[in-house]
Structures are given as C-alpha cells and as structure tokens.
Amino acid sequence: AALGFSPGLSTPHRATATVQRLSKTPGKRAAPSVAPESWGCTLAQYAEAKKLPLEFFQSLGLRDLTYDGAPAIRVPYLSPEGKLDAVRFRVALDAKDRFRWRSGDKTRLYGLWRLDTKAAVVLVEGESDCHTLCHHGINAVGIPGAANWREDRDAPHLGDCERIFVVIEPDQGGKAVLDWIKASSIRDRVWLVSLGEHKDASDLHVDDPNRFKERWAEALTKAEKWSDRQAAQRILKVGEALLRCADLAKSPSILDRFAVDLRSLGLIGEESNAKLLFLALVSRFFKNPISVAVKGPSSGGKSFLVETVLNFFPNSAFYALTAMSEHALAYSNEPL
C-alpha cells in the first residue's frame, strides 16, 4: 500500500517491502528481471555516500525496500499539499541505470512540498542534489532527469519565484537544461550556476561538507543571468557572421549577386519574381512581414521558383507545407 508523507510529521513505515514488475519509464509496465550485480542500495549506504545524516533522509520519507531481490530505496514524490503523487526507486548507488518509477506514475518536480514560492529557489537535476540543498536550509526543487522538464506541468509551480537559480552540470544533461530554458516562460528569471570542477551540489558537499555553504554562496555570486548570456552569445554570433559575410554585406547590389547564383541553380527568366520572394522572406524580421501568393499556369515552374529561393535561407526562416486540410492552420502549433 502507498504510504503518504506530510512535511514536519512523523512518517509511518515498514522495515521492508517487496516491489516487482516496476518500470524504468513512468506509465509502462516491465517484465520481472534478475537484479544485475551492480544493483543494491540501502538508505544507510546512500546516506554515507552523500555524507548526510540517515535521520534526515528518513524525515523526508525515504525508506528501504526490496526491488527484484535486491535492496533499494523508496523515494516519495509529494504534492505541494503533502499528498503522495508518485514514487521513484533508487536501485543502485552509482550505476547509470539506477532509477525506476512505480508503475503508472509520471515524472514531476521533486520537493514541491518544501518549496517556498516567495523566496529565491534553486532548480537542480535529481533528488540527491535537492536533498543536499534542503539539508543546508536552501530552497530547492529537483527535475528527475535533465530533459524531463515539462512547461505546462512544472512552470506554474515557480510562477511566483522572482529568482530561479539553475545549476548547469558540465555534461550533456547541462546542455539539455539550457535547451529547454530557451523555450520556457521562466527563462527571464533564471540565473545560471556553475560549480566549476564539481558536477553538482551533491558533489560539492561530499568534497568538503564543512565548507559547502561558503562555496555555494560564492558560486551564487558568480551566477550569470540567462538573458545576459543570451545577449552576449548573440553579439558574438553577429560578429562571427559579419566576418564570414563581410564581402557580401558590403556589396552595392546584393540582389544582383543573388541573381547570378540563381542561374547557377538552373532558374532562368524568373529573376524579378525570385528577388521579390527573397525580399519577402527577409521581411520576417519586420513588424509586419510581407505576404506573397505565387500564381501561374499549371506546371509553369511555381514550385521550382519558390524552392530555389528557399535554398538561400535557413530552415528556421520558413515552415513548408506541400498540402494541407482546411483545419491545418487551426490545429498547427506553428505561430501565424
């Protein structure tokens, strides 16, 4: 039976429980398996590895159990109201494939029941970093996997947080986090935190528990606002682009250069139309972009004209549809 845990209250538990046929992926059921030799993780071992008190983890509702014949840790995911929403199992300390979800559960932010939405918050990857920060009295929530942020589900929980510190780990996970931040509504409130040679908050704590708060505070003073980093990268890209296209940018007639390249691609006799299409596509940067309808007799080369001009633009400049239903625009996610 699922046991609910409320913050600040004593938590009922059984010494052990047997869990089988649970899946790595939420919502999917997996067949029973034989635990690999690398499996096996007790709460005491986890506490020792993270250099945090066993009693602290117990106060958060973590418990020992048996998973496919090996010891594992049950990690409850509670709602902001303290209701049990999901359970994740840690089946190993260091193995790459060390987590399983309870069948039918879905990913969500960890630590919501402890979140103070009126204060600055730290967003980290995984429960262990969240445990470390919470132990030091730092307001934090965790994403169970760098790419598991879901805007509609997670962003509302941070809607009132004026400053959101996001730890960027020096690996593919860190890149995944930067990718979703770019498209998230929280991005203008995000400050990026780097821990230097340390992978994450847990690693920083384990390296020297007594100096953690001092080193963490120093890392926050060096945090970079996401919007400032984007602006700096944009300026850098503009400079690099200008160096690459300086000759073209200084040309007295870019459209004439364009016409020469058109002929090399086999487009003959359509220079005026091609130039108009070129300018229309450039107008995507304007407040009121230009619209164009290309008309002509069947098999007269309209598609070839448009496709040839599009070859001079990046894929991000247009959204191509070769056919569509009368409902396509209503249901498309592309901005009009």
Side-chain angles (χ1 to χ4, degrees):
L3 299 179
F5 301 97
S6 299
L9 301 179
S10 60
T11 53
H13 71 282
R14 293 176 294 181
T16 61
T18 299
V19 180
Q20 292 182 328
R21 297 184 299 280
L22 299 180
S23 65
K24 174 183 176 182
T25 305
K28 296 184 178 179
R29 183 174 292 277
S33 61
V34 176
E37 291 183 3
S38 60
W39 276 22
C41 177
T42 67
L43 192 54
Q45 291 171 334
Y46 180 59
E48 182 180 1
K50 300 303 177 181
K51 294 188 178 181
L52 293 172
L54 175 63
E55 296 76 17
F56 168 72
F57 290 114
Q58 292 172 336
S59 74
L60 298 180
L62 277 69
R63 295 291 181 262
D64 286 307
L65 50 74
T66 301
Y67 182 95
D68 273 2
I73 301 171
R74 180 185 190 273
V75 183
Y77 274 62
L78 306 184
S79 70
E81 298 74 31
K83 176 185 176 183
L84 183 66
D85 275 347
V87 175
R88 194 153 84 139
F89 303 96
R90 187 171 188 131
V91 298
L93 274 179
D94 300 315
K96 183 178 180 180
D97 184 19
R98 60 186 180 275
F99 295 106
R100 295 291 185 276
W101 287 94
R102 185 177 64 178
S103 180
D105 286 347
K106 297 180 179 179
T107 59
R108 62 199 64 229
L109 294 180
Y110 178 76
L112 291 176
W113 80 98
R114 299 172 60 92
L115 175 64
D116 181 357
T117 59
K118 303 302 182 183
V121 63
V122 181
L123 191 60
V124 292
E125 181 187 342
E127 299 110 355
S128 62
D129 287 348
C130 199
H131 293 154
T132 295
L133 293 172
C134 289
H135 176 71
H136 288 282
I138 298 169
N139 194 33
V141 290
I143 310 171
N148 283 334
W149 172 270
R150 204 176 81 189
E151 184 69 14
D152 59 339
R153 178 196 65 202
D154 301 330
H157 291 297
L158 305 178
D160 295 330
C161 300
E162 293 185 4
R163 182 169 294 199
I164 304 168
F165 292 100
V166 181
V167 177
I168 304 300
E169 299 185 9
D171 55 15
Q172 291 300 318
K175 293 179 181 178
V177 170
L178 289 173
D179 284 343
W180 66 252
I181 289 177
K182 188 183 302 183
S184 174
S185 61
I186 72 170
R187 62 180 179 269
D188 292 329
R189 292 177 286 140
V190 165
W191 293 72
L192 306 175
V193 179
S194 172
L195 298 178
E197 62 180 328
H198 300 285
K199 179 180 181 294
D200 50 36
S202 179
D203 185 41
L204 182 66
H205 169 84
V206 169
D207 182 66
D208 190 342
N210 293 327
R211 294 186 58 213
F212 175 81
K213 283 192 172 181
E214 171 194 341
R215 298 162 83 181
W216 175 257
E218 182 181 355
L220 291 191
T221 63
K222 298 178 181 179
E224 181 181 15
K225 195 171 183 180
W226 179 86
S227 56
D228 291 343
R229 175 183 285 195
Q230 286 298 108
Q233 290 180 345
R234 194 176 300 114
I235 292 173
L236 181 61
K237 288 182 178 179
V238 168
E240 293 174 347
L242 184 59
L243 287 175
R244 295 177 61 187
C245 69
D247 178 60
L248 181 62
K250 295 176 182 178
S251 172
S253 179
I254 293 177
L255 288 178
D256 286 342
R257 295 272 296 269
F258 171 59
V260 172
D261 287 340
L262 284 175
R263 289 192 288 272
S264 69
L265 295 177
L267 185 66
I268 308 297
E270 293 286 354
E271 287 186 9
S272 294
N273 286 331
K275 288 178 180 180
L276 287 172
L277 283 173
F278 183 93
L279 293 175
L281 280 156
V282 172
S283 77
R284 71 190 187 278
F285 293 113
F286 300 166
K287 181 179 180 180
N288 297 309
I290 297 170
S291 298
V292 177
V294 182
K295 297 184 177 182
S298 179
S299 301
K302 299 185 296 298
S303 295
F304 182 65
L305 165 65
V306 174
E307 291 168 1
T308 302
V309 174
L310 291 180
N311 284 330
F312 290 83
F313 292 84
N315 291 335
S316 59
F318 59 89
Y319 177 55
L321 284 173
T322 56
M324 67 179 186
S325 71
E326 62 271 25
H327 301 298
L329 295 181
Y331 289 98
S332 172
N333 291 324
E334 287 294 319
L336 299 179

